[in-house]
Structure formats: C-alpha cells, structure tokens
Amino acid sequence: MRALKLKGKVDEAGKLIVDTDIDLSPGEVEVIVLRASQAEEANSLSTTLAAQDVDRLPMKASFEEFSAWMLEGLSSVPQNFDSEEARWQYLKGKHHL
C-alpha cells in the first residue's frame, strides 16, 4: 500500500475537491480525511518556512523548562528495582514460558 498526503477542500455540496495530479493508475482508493479545528486553522502557518527562518522563530520555553515538563508526573524507580528480573518477567510473558 502506498500513502500520499494531499490537500483539498470540501465544497458547499459536500464534495471533496483535490486539485493535485497524482501518479496512480486508475482504480479505487481509500481516502482518510483529517479536518483541522478552527483553532488549528487560525494558528497554522500558511507558508512553508525556509531553514534560515526557523532560527528567527520565538523560543517559547527553555530546555530546562521543556525537560521539567517531560519529567512531570513521573515516579522515580525504587532503589531495589532489578532490571534483569523485570526483563525476564516480560520475556516469560511474551514467549509464554
């Protein structure tokens, strides 16, 4: 199976319109439609940023803030945790030993 990502529009009659030529032989295709919410549409960039433009984007969080956010809510590993025993228990269950 081959996947293609295309942009299209839905007209007033509810018909899907895709204005892109695709390199596929004639036949049936399966279509998955993802609709952006109004908030996503309002916040999305309408143009593709060039590589040099990325450096000029405002930084919203520092690395320390980001790493703290990623670790938020995680519990620490107990001192007596045996990783080899945990691995063995996982493999026994996986392979029905």
Side-chain angles (χ1 to χ4, degrees):
M1 182 179 282
R2 184 173 149 198
L4 299 173
K5 182 176 180 180
L6 308 168
K7 290 207 177 223
K9 295 180 181 179
V10 177
D11 66 9
E12 292 79 21
K15 300 280 185 183
L16 176 63
I17 301 169
V18 179
D19 293 329
T20 305
D21 293 333
I22 54 175
D23 183 25
L24 289 176
S25 58
E28 289 189 12
V29 296
E30 184 174 313
V31 178
I32 299 172
V33 177
L34 302 173
R35 169 136 186 169
S37 70
Q38 289 179 345
E40 288 174 331
E41 289 174 355
N43 291 332
S44 67
L45 294 173
S46 60
T47 59
T48 303
L49 295 173
Q52 66 269 17
D53 293 336
V54 173
D55 292 335
R56 288 187 258 154
L57 291 175
M59 182 71 152
K60 294 186 179 183
S62 67
F63 178 75
E64 290 78 21
E65 291 172 323
F66 178 73
S67 60
W69 174 78
M70 290 292 293
L71 298 174
E72 187 176 282
L74 294 178
S75 59
S76 62
V77 178
Q79 291 292 331
N80 61 351
F81 180 75
D82 184 0
S83 62
E84 292 298 319
E85 179 63 24
R87 180 180 296 164
W88 173 239
Q89 293 300 323
Y90 166 77
L91 290 172
K92 282 192 336 187
K94 180 179 178 182
H95 297 289
H96 307 292
L97 300 175

